[in-house]
Amino acid sequence: MDETQALNAFSALSQETRLQIVRLLVKAGPDGLAAGVIGEAVGASSSKASFHLSHLEQAGLITSRRESRSILYSAAYPALAGLVGFLMRDCCQGHPEVCEPAMAALAACNC
């Protein structure tokens, strides 16, 4: 991930509802959730949920797919991992103990 992509991702995540949506989709796993379920879970009307989902998809943080009459949204795990990697890229400066808590958290992840 380059700096421009990271800035777009941070911009998308800097709004409360969008951050809630990403966290919800990370928890939901690769199967994702329907747009209506997402909107209900974050307390957003269907039009507001659609706006936020579109913004997150444009930033590359989530993906969508059509199944029958529903649109399902999923976290874009590679993009999220890329964002974390971007933040941690220059970590430690010769002091690996600085990164140990972050690495332990990532190792505990079941993704």
Side-chain angles (χ1 to χ4, degrees):
M1 177 169 287
D2 64 26
E3 191 170 291
T4 300
Q5 292 169 315
L7 287 169
N8 286 335
F10 285 125
S11 175
L13 292 171
S14 69
Q15 197 281 336
E16 181 180 5
T17 302
R18 290 193 289 267
L19 182 59
Q20 290 174 353
I21 290 170
V22 169
R23 295 189 74 208
L24 178 69
L25 291 175
V26 166
K27 290 177 192 174
D31 291 338
L33 297 169
V37 172
I38 295 167
E40 190 174 303
V42 299
S45 67
S46 59
S47 62
K48 283 202 182 269
S50 178
F51 168 80
H52 291 304
L53 290 164
S54 176
H55 198 90
L56 290 166
E57 192 166 24
Q58 288 174 358
L61 298 173
I62 66 171
T63 60
S64 65
R65 68 185 184 285
R66 181 170 290 282
E67 281 191 14
S68 186
R69 293 178 15 183
S70 296
I71 298 177
L72 300 179
Y73 291 88
S74 302
Y77 293 101
L80 293 168
L83 186 56
V84 172
F86 175 83
L87 288 173
M88 303 298 291
R89 185 177 304 147
D90 300 319
C91 183
C92 306
Q93 297 291 318
H95 302 282
E97 68 278 3
V98 172
C99 295
E100 284 177 15
M103 295 304 153
L106 286 173
C109 179
N110 293 325
C111 9

